[in-house]
Amino acid sequence: MSRLQVVSGKGGTGKTTVAAALALALATEGKRTLLIEVEGRQGIAQLFETEALPYEERKIAVAPGGGEVYALAIDPELALLDYLQMFYKLGSAGRALKKLGAIDFATTIAPGVRDVLLTGKACEAVRRKDKAGRFVYDHVVMDAPPTGRITRFLNVNDEVAGLAKIGPIHNQAQAVMRVLKSAETAVHLVTLLEEMPVQETVDGIAELRAARLPVGRVVVNMVRPQVLDAAELELVRTVPRTALARSLSSAGLGGARRGGNAERLVDPLLAQAEEYAERYALEQEQRSVLGELDLPLHELPLFAEGMDLAGLYELATELRKQGMS
Amino acid sequence: MSPDATPARETDRSSGQPQEAGRRLAPARVLDVDPLLDDPKTRIVVCCGSGGVGKTTTAAALGLRAAERGRKVVVLTIDPARRLAQSMGIDSLDNVPRRVKGTEEDGELYAMMLDMKRTFDEVVEAHADPERAAAILSNPFYQSLSAGFAGTQEYMAMEKLGQLRARDEWDLIVVDTPPSRSALDFLDAPKRLGSFLDGRLIRLLTAPAKLGGRAGMKFLNVGMSMMTGTLGKLLGGQLLKDVQTFVAAMDTTFGGFRTRADATYKLLQAPGTAFLVVAAPERDALREAAYFVERLAAERMPLAGLVLNRVHGSGAGQLSAERAIAAAENLEDARIVDQGEGKAESRNSPETHGSSDPAEPTGVSPGASDGTSAAPSDDTSADSSDDSPAGSPSGSVAESADAVDRVTAGLLRLHAERMQLLAREQRTRDRFTARHPEVAVAEVPALPGDVHDLAGLRDIGDRLADNRRELPEPGA
């Protein structure tokens, strides 16, 4: 099991939710995980129903069996000062840099410095050991940028190492790349059973592989329950409308004759079934596209009432059941 | 904008039919996109919102609609899904507006995809003499910066928008904003770049060239060498030199970058611009949308309204989720009872199936007493002709009736799910409306699949512009 688990996915696929559930799942049985947020949206705090996370590692949940989940929302600006402090003991020079706009520059404009800091912080947490020489975190889960940017994001250190050919930044960048390209890391992609997210997942995996970054698993999120199976859908197409009307009527929904309450339900219900059938066929198609990727595939159910803390624990249990942790 | 072209109008809340309650979200104000698109004073439409809500599709559909309503339109997309580009008949969009074929009504639609690096290169080439331009273009720092690190996409989107507007070749420019971690980056980026390029850091980095030897600058020079020393240690001497060369070249060749960024920013605030916030009726997407609405107001950017994609409807809104589930359970229970007591045939025989037979134990519900019982024999003639489904030529009547009941129960459960979804969407929507009652909303009914061609985009455009209270029959 890789110690750094990076979770990406197209916008709107619920990658933050999956990352949080994975952190919970990995923390069960007395383990400790760190869940890292890099995009400054405070999505983790919302999921765990706590106040906004500061830039510090803090315990946000207890997993079944006594494990602990810590969370960290990385603030790029503070991370840079932190980083400068750690490596160069800059002190007042750091403040001077800030005054000059150098920190702003570095975290928003300069090539990838921001991404270097984010990946660097994650790798630091992965490698951190306590006094007894044990890893502080059993696993680090990163809620990473979306699929469209993930390869570039993870690969930024390669580019930086090429730009800064010598010096501490060069060395740091190379050290980070060693972790990211090793079996210590796994990059998971979250998708929905829809055309565009699946296409993006397929493209994203090709990019990750081309950059020799370790691809982990594909998680299909928000899978809708199957209400009608293929045989039933076939029956819907052949059953006479009057028979449906009678059946609706016998269920207590009014008259089956033309214009009766039950009869008037037939058309809209059939229209909804047709939409369902179309979606069902599309979903099957996307499933087979994902199947061709030859990667472990996981499916997580849709929570119709929206995601909450209880749902998160359910997803964690589901991930454990499916052997993702 | 003339008053009659105001995109938002008050809707008559009382016009909604009572049985449609729960079917259709009832916005306080309805966004009418056609007057907005038709108004010659509307020159720029910016679509913004969080990822995965159909922002790019909305931009393309609006562009097509405006073109087919007689305007010359260019759609500037940023990193569209391949399929969407294909839907406009373009295999690979590049940095040049391409005419989209197959539009109706002689509509002139152009589409382009932002190529960050190309746009940046063009800026350099346009503003520097050839020698200097070559020096900048070959600078390693420049090459990384222009190839799309965080932020560059946003600046270049703004730059391209400014260029397109300046060419004045199109009546309307529809822009889709970059898939940023936050849609707000689009607004922040130019300012940041501007303040950076104007800032002290730049002056410091370029200091060796400009300040060298000047009297009274000694103090600054000391500070500078300390700083460049630190930066050199940090970045490696070569990179610092690259940065310095780059900054010096940029500074001397087009110090007006800030002016340009400011001009584009002002363009966005001008009356000819309309922002559309795009969202789906989901909690997170609408939370981002609310945030964006607030931010636009703070920046005094003109917001036209909210486009709410993928709103679900039902043609059977009169049947609540609870009743649908109860009815499905009735059918399922009846099947179990039937199988146990062997009564299936009699229950489904023409004599007792009658919907309105008062003796029927699972018969008419209290809510359905609409006079159907007055003519119980009406359907029997139709019944006899339809009684044997095509799929069961020789199967027992009981079996096929069971199958029908099973399918009916499935249809009812499907409907219950749909009604629950509607209720959820309405709650989410209401939360947004309560917070921002001033924002006009256009709802776009959900499609079961993705858009593949111009017809699909046109369909989206129709749905977007259609403000009838009644949703089209799903699947119709």
Side-chain angles (χ1 to χ4, degrees):
Chain A
M1 191 66 51
S2 301
R3 297 197 46 248
L4 175 59
Q5 311 233 353
V6 180
V7 180
S8 177
K10 182 176 160 52
T13 57
K15 66 183 172 62
T16 303
T17 308
V18 173
L22 183 58
L24 265 178
L26 289 166
T28 36
E29 287 161 21
K31 295 218 170 71
R32 187 188 287 153
T33 58
L34 177 66
L35 177 58
I36 296 183
E37 175 166 61
V38 300
E39 301 226 292
R41 278 188 308 206
Q42 292 291 342
I44 292 176
Q46 278 162 19
L47 267 174
F48 284 94
E49 295 166 16
T50 60
E51 70 267 40
L53 293 169
Y55 176 54
E56 66 180 36
E57 290 160 34
R58 80 164 43 171
K59 188 161 116 186
I60 50 162
V62 175
E68 296 171 321
V69 177
Y70 280 70
L72 171 68
I74 301 182
D75 176 325
E77 190 172 299
L78 293 174
L80 179 57
L81 289 172
D82 199 28
Y83 177 93
L84 293 175
Q85 194 57 38
M86 188 166 68
F87 283 87
Y88 309 102
K89 318 265 179 278
L90 276 184
S92 60
R95 281 196 296 279
L97 278 172
K98 187 169 179 160
K99 244 179 152 176
L100 283 165
I103 303 292
D104 237 9
F105 165 73
T107 52
T108 60
I109 294 160
V113 167
R114 177 197 175 93
D115 294 352
V116 168
L117 291 168
L118 299 175
T119 48
K121 185 76 200 171
C123 289
E124 183 271 317
V126 168
R127 288 178 299 187
R128 195 188 310 155
K129 290 183 176 170
D130 62 16
K131 287 197 181 93
R134 286 180 308 239
F135 285 118
V136 172
Y137 294 108
D138 295 291
H139 295 282
V140 175
V141 178
M142 182 193 250
D143 175 19
T147 318
R149 291 198 284 125
I150 187 68
T151 301
R152 177 146 226 140
F153 172 77
L154 294 176
N155 233 8
V156 65
N157 286 282
D158 245 6
E159 198 144 351
V160 166
L163 268 182
K165 293 191 180 61
I166 49 162
I169 286 200
H170 173 85
N171 299 339
Q172 158 77 4
Q174 286 214 317
V176 169
M177 260 358 264
R178 275 197 295 276
V179 173
L180 291 181
K181 290 200 169 167
S182 73
E184 281 286 80
T185 302
V187 185
H188 310 302
L189 294 181
V190 182
T191 185
L192 305 178
L193 281 179
E194 289 168 18
E195 227 171 324
M196 280 205 244
V198 166
Q199 184 61 50
E200 209 166 285
T201 302
V202 172
D203 293 347
I205 286 168
E207 279 174 33
L208 286 166
R209 283 178 172 159
R212 290 187 294 117
L213 287 161
V215 182
R217 295 150 188 267
V218 174
V219 180
V220 183
N221 195 21
M222 299 190 236
V223 176
R224 284 175 273 217
Q226 178 170 297
V227 183
L228 298 171
D229 61 23
E232 284 165 332
L233 282 172
E234 184 51 39
L235 207 53
V236 168
R237 274 186 283 270
T238 51
V239 74
R241 301 176 65 264
T242 48
L244 282 178
R246 280 199 305 276
S247 181
L248 286 168
S249 180
S250 74
L253 294 171
R257 64 175 182 84
R258 192 168 303 277
N261 275 352
E263 195 270 345
R264 281 191 293 149
L265 287 171
V266 173
D267 274 343
L269 291 188
L270 283 176
Q272 280 170 193
E274 202 176 307
E275 278 183 66
Y276 175 88
E278 194 176 333
R279 209 182 64 205
Y280 182 83
L282 259 173
E283 288 181 354
Q284 291 300 98
E285 209 177 293
Q286 298 311 318
R287 252 195 201 101
S288 74
V289 172
L290 291 173
E292 281 164 25
L293 287 170
D294 213 16
L295 286 170
L297 210 60
H298 301 269
E299 293 202 5
L300 294 177
L302 170 75
F303 287 94
E305 290 303 322
M307 186 47 60
D308 59 9
L309 203 49
L312 204 58
Y313 277 87
E314 266 184 70
L315 288 186
T317 308
E318 190 60 36
L319 283 173
R320 273 194 82 73
K321 224 190 295 170
Q322 297 185 21
M324 192 159 166
S325 68
Chain B
M1 196 174 292
S2 54
D4 56 338
T6 306
R9 58 177 159 77
E10 293 296 320
T11 54
D12 184 3
R13 279 171 175 277
S14 63
S15 70
Q17 291 165 317
Q19 73 263 35
E20 282 184 300
R23 266 187 63 187
R24 177 80 176 185
L25 311 178
R29 283 151 61 92
V30 172
L31 169 69
D32 241 338
V33 294
D34 284 344
L36 176 72
L37 295 178
D38 291 347
D39 188 344
K41 292 195 204 81
T42 309
R43 302 299 303 273
I44 296 173
V45 170
V46 185
C47 298
C48 46
S50 54
V53 295
K55 202 167 39 181
T56 309
T57 308
T58 300
L62 284 170
L64 178 65
R65 187 168 185 88
E68 293 186 340
R69 293 175 68 87
R71 302 196 73 194
K72 190 176 171 187
V73 185
V74 61
V75 176
L76 169 58
T77 74
I78 290 142
D79 194 26
R82 202 185 306 151
R83 270 171 220 282
L84 187 69
Q86 283 167 353
S87 72
M88 291 193 280
I90 299 171
D91 270 343
S92 58
L93 287 167
D94 56 13
N95 212 25
V96 182
R98 305 276 177 202
R99 176 85 186 257
V100 175
K101 294 189 195 79
T103 52
E104 288 172 358
E105 314 292 335
D106 299 323
E108 268 194 75
L109 176 65
Y110 295 77
M112 64 164 293
M113 182 178 117
L114 181 75
D115 178 334
M116 276 179 296
K117 175 144 183 55
R118 198 57 231 135
T119 304
F120 213 145
D121 289 355
E122 282 166 10
V123 172
V124 171
E125 282 159 1
H127 292 84
D129 58 68
E131 199 182 321
R132 196 156 242 148
I136 298 178
L137 295 183
S138 63
N139 184 302
F141 179 80
Y142 169 78
Q143 285 171 356
S144 288
L145 180 66
S146 61
F149 279 108
T152 316
Q153 206 173 30
E154 284 82 2
Y155 312 132
M156 289 307 127
M158 295 291 265
E159 173 67 33
K160 201 77 214 172
L161 176 59
Q163 284 177 14
L164 289 173
R165 185 65 183 84
R167 274 166 71 179
D168 210 19
E169 266 179 54
W170 291 278
D171 303 335
L172 178 67
I173 304 167
V174 183
V175 202
D176 154 38
T177 53
S180 310
R181 85 200 138 88
S182 145
L184 305 176
D185 283 359
F186 184 66
L187 291 176
D188 287 337
K191 244 193 219 161
R192 273 198 204 135
L193 183 67
S195 68
F196 162 66
L197 286 170
D198 257 13
R200 288 208 283 169
L201 183 69
I202 283 279
R203 275 183 282 147
L204 212 56
L205 287 171
T206 54
K210 287 164 103 186
L211 301 177
R214 251 201 260 173
M217 288 293 176
K218 236 183 189 141
F219 170 74
L220 205 87
N221 270 326
V222 171
M224 187 271 299
S225 57
M226 181 196 93
M227 209 50 70
T228 48
T230 307
L231 285 173
K233 244 189 351 192
L234 201 57
L235 302 170
Q238 183 57 42
L239 177 58
L240 182 63
K241 237 179 93 198
D242 288 343
V243 173
Q244 281 178 327
T245 322
F246 167 73
V247 163
M250 294 284 272
D251 196 44
T252 49
T253 51
F254 55 109
F257 214 117
R258 171 123 199 211
T259 322
R260 302 155 63 80
D262 279 352
T264 310
Y265 191 80
K266 288 216 174 67
L267 189 64
L268 290 177
Q269 287 178 322
T273 301
F275 278 83
L276 287 175
V277 176
V278 184
E282 289 150 19
R283 194 180 49 186
D284 291 351
L286 274 170
R287 190 193 293 123
E288 283 265 310
Y291 189 34
F292 203 73
V293 163
E294 285 153 25
R295 181 62 195 276
L296 285 173
E299 304 278 340
R300 287 182 297 133
M301 297 277 176
L303 173 69
L306 174 79
V307 172
L308 201 57
N309 279 330
R310 297 184 206 140
V311 177
H312 288 86
S314 172
Q318 70 272 25
L319 177 61
S320 70
E322 294 73 22
R323 279 188 69 213
I325 289 172
E329 280 165 358
N330 269 352
L331 288 171
E332 284 153 356
D333 289 352
R335 266 172 56 210
I336 295 162
V337 172
D338 288 345
Q339 278 155 5
E341 302 177 10
K343 273 191 195 165
E345 270 173 275
S346 73
R347 191 179 71 84
N348 290 286
S349 70
E351 288 76 36
T352 54
H353 84 255
S355 54
S356 46
D357 185 345
E360 170 66 48
T362 58
V364 187
S365 76
S369 51
D370 60 346
T372 48
S373 54
S377 59
D378 267 18
D379 1 320
T380 38
S381 57
D383 290 345
S384 50
S385 61
D386 276 327
D387 231 76
S388 312
S392 60
S394 61
S396 82
V397 181
E399 225 172 87
S400 73
D402 251 12
V404 170
D405 280 356
R406 205 173 61 235
V407 166
T408 307
L411 290 177
L412 288 167
R413 290 194 181 278
L414 202 57
H415 178 69
E417 204 184 53
R418 171 65 63 96
M419 293 308 287
Q420 283 159 351
L421 179 65
L422 290 193
R424 218 155 47 233
E425 287 180 352
Q426 175 153 23
R427 280 199 302 275
T428 320
R429 224 308 291 282
D430 287 351
R431 213 171 298 149
F432 175 87
T433 313
R435 200 162 148 191
H436 292 289
E438 77 286 1
V439 177
V441 182
E443 287 162 15
V444 186
L447 287 169
D450 280 341
V451 174
H452 291 106
D453 48 22
L454 280 189
L457 284 178
R458 197 172 288 125
D459 184 21
I460 300 262
D462 288 344
R463 286 167 182 248
L464 191 50
D466 183 5
N467 282 312
R468 286 177 306 157
R469 307 296 299 163
E470 197 91 12
L471 280 168
E473 286 289 299

